[in-house]
């Protein structure tokens, strides 16, 4: 894009989305990524899902500050901090940020604070190390979304949507269960998008 070889998307310029958890933001690779995004003003949206946990260690044990404060050290990256369990707010924020990035071509961070509802893995059970399960359950986004639909459309819509989703999931599960195993040759499929640059031309410059 910056070298003039990007495709013309008629104003709907593409946006790169990087989804990551809050604990990963303590790692050096994330700092490097933010530095270059800020320096080069890349059109990247970093969606940070902050549930306050790093596997079985909580935020107080693993970080000095959350992403909202950490990002202040990277000039040129704007941050939106939201309640990620609020579907309407999350939808509107993502839409707004995408529109800005498509138009202004600069990086953004959406810092979404969310509850951790499930187990980290089947081997790391939440009951073993957490004392905040009841509080986390009060921030479950699903009941909030159902209440929003019920308020704006009615109970019938809630029932119908849940039935449609359940049917779709059951059908897709059966389809996946009966699908053929992938061939070993397909392991490299779709790793890289086709490049418009197929040969080197011109003169190299430092």
């Amino acid at each position: 894009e910056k070298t003039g070889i990007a495709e013309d998307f008629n104003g709907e310029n593409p946006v790169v989305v990087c989804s990551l958890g809050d604990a990963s933001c303590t790692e050096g690779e994330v700092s490097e990524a933010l530095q270059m995004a800020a320096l080069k003003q890349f059109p990247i949206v970093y969606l940070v899902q902050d549930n306050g946990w790093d596997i079985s260690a909580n935020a107080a044990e693993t970080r000095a500050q959350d992403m909202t404060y950490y990002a202040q050290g990277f000039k040129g990256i704007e941050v939106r901090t939201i309640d990620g369990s609020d579907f309407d707010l999350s939808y509107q924020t993502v839409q707004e940020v995408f529109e800005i990035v498509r138009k202004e071509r600069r990086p953004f961070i959406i810092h979404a604070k969310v509850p951790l509802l499930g187990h980290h893995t089947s081997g790391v059970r939440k009951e073993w190390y957490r004392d905040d399960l009841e509080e986390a359950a009060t921030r479950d986004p699903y009941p909030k979304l159902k209440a929003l639909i019920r308020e704006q459309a009615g109970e019938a819509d809630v029932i119908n949507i849940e039935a449609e989703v359940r049917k779709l999931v059951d059908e897709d599960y059966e389809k996946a269960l009966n699908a053929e195993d992938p061939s070993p040759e397909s392991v490299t499929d779709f790793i890289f998008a086709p490049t418009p640059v197929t040969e080197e031309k011109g003169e190299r410059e430092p």
Side-chain angles (χ1 to χ4, degrees), residues 124-144:
V124 184
R125 309 296 290 178
K126 59 185 179 182
E127 298 89 354
W128 295 349
Y129 60 92
R130 294 181 57 188
D131 58 6
D132 65 338
L133 296 177
E134 290 185 6
E135 186 277 331
T138 65
R139 296 186 289 132
D140 186 339
Y142 186 52
K144 292 182 181 182

Side-chain angles (χ1 to χ4, degrees), residues 80-94:
R80 292 280 193 279
T81 305
I82 62 172
D83 176 2
S85 69
D86 183 329
F87 173 80
D88 187 50
L89 174 62
S90 299
Y91 184 90
Q92 297 297 333
T93 301
V94 170

